[in-house]
Amino acid sequence: MPATNGAPDPHRDTHFGFRTVGLDDKQAMVDEVFAKVARRYDLMNDLMSGGLHRVWKDILVTAVNPPKGERPFAAIDVAGGTGDVAFRIAEAGGAGTRVTVCDINEEMLGVGRERAAQRGLDGVVTFMAGNAESLPFPDRSHDACTIAFGIRNVPRIDVALAEFYRVLRPGGRFLCLEFSTVDVPGLDALYDFYSFNVIPALGRAVAGDAEAYRYLVESIRRFPRPKAFADMITAAGFRRVSWRVLTGGVVALHSGWRL
Ligand SMILES: C[S@@+](CC[C@H](N)C(=O)[O-])C[C@H]1O[C@@H](n2cnc3c(N)ncnc32)[C@H](O)[C@@H]1O
């Protein structure tokens, strides 16, 4: 539970949307959200973003740039949920490309495994349960590590970033797609209205759960701005850290290399 004596304690507390919660309580709350929405997750992504999440994910995969030929290339997509990014990496790469989806939520992974089988990708994309804060992979075992719309759900972001660094080989690249901060005058007010009114209503109508989608919107607002997040990536050991904002700041793509 959060500290009760006033200010949140950064060693024990974090945020679940706009609420201050104990670091140890947040993960269970996040897990409950994704267990509830897993079956409707992909449909909701399309509806909420008007299909834009596909464009953002394609930009991420272009940056991953898996080799087209036989050369072995191992990628992990952390918090990869129902496999969307992993399928895109597998389809962009050649015969040597393998992708592991690592997600903490069995319901999301279950949907992902079904989708992989439907696409004939079950030999290329594998699904593994695991926590971003303690990845079930050896040191220096992967060429790329991606996370899309996942990092803001993780209670200890610094611990997860250190894990991403640990599992990458020298020369490996970390790429993170995450909702960010809309600073364009006019667009920000529209985005606020859409976020706090339309998205929870859509969540209620389509996924039967407005609260889960209110969490989603609130968690986006609590996430650090691009420069602050880039500093966290650098602090984890990554070099040549950079970012670009997409769609007026709705989303940012951060990149860092293990050198
Ligand atoms: C918004 S979804 C993103 C799914 C997918 N990456 C996509 O872009 O469609 C967030 C995912 O993060 C996962 N997640 C939350 N906390 C996690 C953790 N500590 N470790 C690994 N995955 C986690 C959730 O289970 C969920 O599947």
Side-chain angles (χ1 to χ4, degrees):
M1 295 299 290
T4 48
N5 60 345
D9 172 354
H11 300 293
R12 287 180 36 194
D13 300 336
T14 184
H15 293 101
F16 177 78
F18 288 163
R19 288 157 60 192
T20 300
V21 299
L23 271 171
D24 294 328
D25 300 326
K26 173 168 171 164
Q27 190 68 61
M29 298 165 95
V30 166
D31 294 350
E32 198 182 322
V33 166
F34 289 103
K36 270 196 231 158
V37 302
R39 289 268 146 212
R40 290 290 170 122
Y41 178 78
D42 294 297
L43 172 64
M44 274 300 288
N45 265 355
D46 273 330
L47 291 176
M48 283 185 312
S49 73
L52 269 175
H53 74 108
R54 295 166 182 258
V55 177
W56 298 326
K57 286 171 179 167
D58 284 342
I59 292 170
L60 165 71
V61 171
T62 301
V64 174
N65 191 23
K68 306 284 174 231
E70 309 261 303
R71 180 158 67 82
F73 182 83
I76 318 172
D77 185 40
V78 182
T82 59
D84 237 19
V85 167
F87 301 149
R88 285 178 160 75
I89 296 173
E91 281 158 0
T97 297
R98 296 286 177 275
V99 192
T100 306
V101 173
C102 178
D103 195 288
I104 203 163
N105 195 301
E106 280 297 347
E107 281 81 359
M108 295 289 279
L109 289 167
V111 174
R113 288 189 187 102
E114 286 169 18
R115 295 176 81 209
Q118 281 157 10
R119 286 162 191 246
L121 283 174
D122 30 4
V124 183
V125 177
T126 47
F127 291 81
M128 191 181 277
N131 189 334
E133 294 179 3
S134 54
L135 290 175
F137 306 105
D139 296 358
R140 301 170 178 232
S141 51
H142 286 77
D143 301 290
C145 175
T146 56
I147 182 164
F149 308 114
I151 194 73
R152 72 177 189 284
N153 298 297
V154 175
R156 297 166 187 84
I157 293 176
D158 54 339
V159 174
L161 290 170
E163 279 294 271
F164 305 156
Y165 186 85
R166 180 183 68 75
V167 299
L168 279 171
R169 307 185 214 291
R173 191 173 190 185
F174 166 61
L175 285 153
C176 176
L177 198 57
E178 188 51 89
F179 291 108
S180 194
T181 313
V182 173
D183 277 331
V184 181
L187 184 60
D188 50 1
L190 194 67
Y191 184 58
D192 271 356
F193 178 81
Y194 184 76
S195 300
F196 289 103
N197 297 284
V198 180
I199 289 184
L202 261 177
R204 185 181 303 110
V206 179
D209 195 324
E211 274 317 300
Y213 284 88
R214 204 176 311 283
Y215 158 70
L216 178 118
V217 169
E218 291 178 0
S219 65
I220 292 169
R221 301 312 160 99
R222 297 251 27 142
F223 194 70
R225 285 175 169 261
K227 167 73 170 77
F229 185 48
D231 289 345
M232 294 174 76
I233 297 171
T234 304
F238 289 101
R239 293 295 168 254
R240 290 165 55 200
V241 174
S242 61
W243 74 89
R244 61 185 279 207
V245 295
L246 308 171
T247 319
V250 173
V251 163
L253 175 64
H254 281 77
S255 162
W257 296 82
R258 176 169 183 166
L259 298 181

